[in-house]
Amino acid sequence: MTGTPVIETHGLTRRFGRLVAVDHVDLAVRRGEIFGCLGPNGSGKSTLMRVLLGLLDPSEGTAHVLGCEIPRDAERLRSSVGYMTQRFSLYEDLSVRENLDFAAAVFGLPRRERRARVSAALTDAGLDVYAEARAATLSGGWKQRLALAAATVHRPQLLVLDEPTAGVDPQSRRVFWEKLFEIAAGGTTIFVSTHYMDEAVRCHRLALLRDGRRMA
């Protein structure tokens, strides 16, 4: 957890008209840590993540992610980052295996390597038995496992998770966090937002957001 920060922002701000969703936020996320972003709904967590990923342009301030200046280098950044949204965003009409293969293709993995990565991801997530099942038939906890597998099939340096356990039962949440610790132990930096205190205490460090501002 040393060296150049994986994420570094100074005065990062995003406005939507008169609404200031992210208000002069300073952050430094270290390599290999699980960094939590804690705050209630509407505190600016999702907007902050979208700016860091280059999905939204900042209104003011600077952001560097994995050495890339945002938004200038956003396209170059994408192959090194995994992103999991709060809502299940994969294709429900595709099978579990097809979703993982599609994700691997989007991240530019060659066909031969894709097959090996998808096979490993299915086993690692315990999804082998559901490999040919349509994603729509999975329970919430298994959809969550599939979404995490899709976000990490290309072995990203940085994993960004936007309230990934919202609406999931407590047992599935515990299993999910055990997996996050495994991923972090493998060298991936994790930036995760949550409004659950029991998840917040699992993070190495935290930023508390309220009304778009970093309070602590």
Side-chain angles (χ1 to χ4, degrees):
M1 298 186 192
T2 58
T4 304
V6 171
I7 297 174
E8 188 171 21
T9 72
H10 296 285
L12 190 63
T13 301
R14 172 66 196 199
R15 301 183 183 91
F16 296 95
R18 294 184 178 180
L19 173 67
V20 183
V22 176
D23 192 355
H24 295 87
V25 170
D26 296 337
L27 285 179
V29 178
R30 304 165 185 160
R31 190 171 303 278
E33 73 177 340
I34 300 177
F35 189 95
C37 194
L38 177 66
N41 291 334
S43 60
K45 303 187 301 296
S46 295
T47 301
L48 172 61
M49 288 182 163
R50 289 170 186 159
V51 172
L52 292 175
L53 291 167
L55 301 176
L56 291 172
D57 289 347
S59 303
E60 187 179 334
T62 62
H64 290 83
V65 181
L66 293 172
C68 297
E69 183 180 334
I70 303 301
R72 186 191 67 188
D73 302 324
E75 197 63 37
R76 180 162 61 91
L77 173 69
R78 284 173 188 155
S79 63
S80 302
V81 176
Y83 178 42
M84 182 174 166
T85 61
Q86 180 178 344
R87 295 182 61 184
F88 184 72
S89 58
L90 301 180
Y91 293 97
E92 297 202 340
D93 288 338
L94 295 183
S95 70
V96 168
R97 186 188 303 277
E98 288 168 338
N99 267 294
L100 291 177
D101 185 67
F102 178 77
V106 166
F107 287 115
L109 297 181
R111 181 172 296 179
R112 181 176 298 179
E113 188 175 356
R114 287 208 310 266
R115 286 198 295 267
R117 292 280 187 95
V118 168
S119 179
L122 287 169
T123 301
D124 196 39
L127 284 162
D128 301 78
V129 68
Y130 298 116
E132 309 310 326
R134 287 175 58 241
T137 66
L138 300 179
S139 68
W142 286 105
K143 282 184 177 179
Q144 181 193 59
R145 291 196 195 191
L146 172 57
L148 181 61
T152 56
V153 70
H154 61 304
R155 298 174 186 167
Q157 298 178 53
L158 171 66
L159 180 59
V160 178
L161 308 169
D162 188 5
E163 295 192 10
T165 60
V168 178
D169 66 272
Q171 174 61 25
S172 295
R173 285 170 54 200
R174 284 192 292 271
V175 171
F176 184 85
W177 273 86
E178 289 171 4
K179 185 61 185 174
L180 291 190
F181 282 117
E182 288 180 22
I183 293 171
T188 299
T189 304
I190 298 175
F191 186 62
V192 55
S193 68
T194 183
H195 56 255
Y196 294 123
M197 289 301 298
D198 63 321
E199 293 186 349
V201 298
R202 294 171 178 256
C203 300
H204 297 121
R205 290 192 303 134
L206 282 170
L208 176 61
L209 291 188
R210 188 176 69 194
D211 298 326
R213 293 188 294 273
R214 194 194 75 178
M215 308 304 295

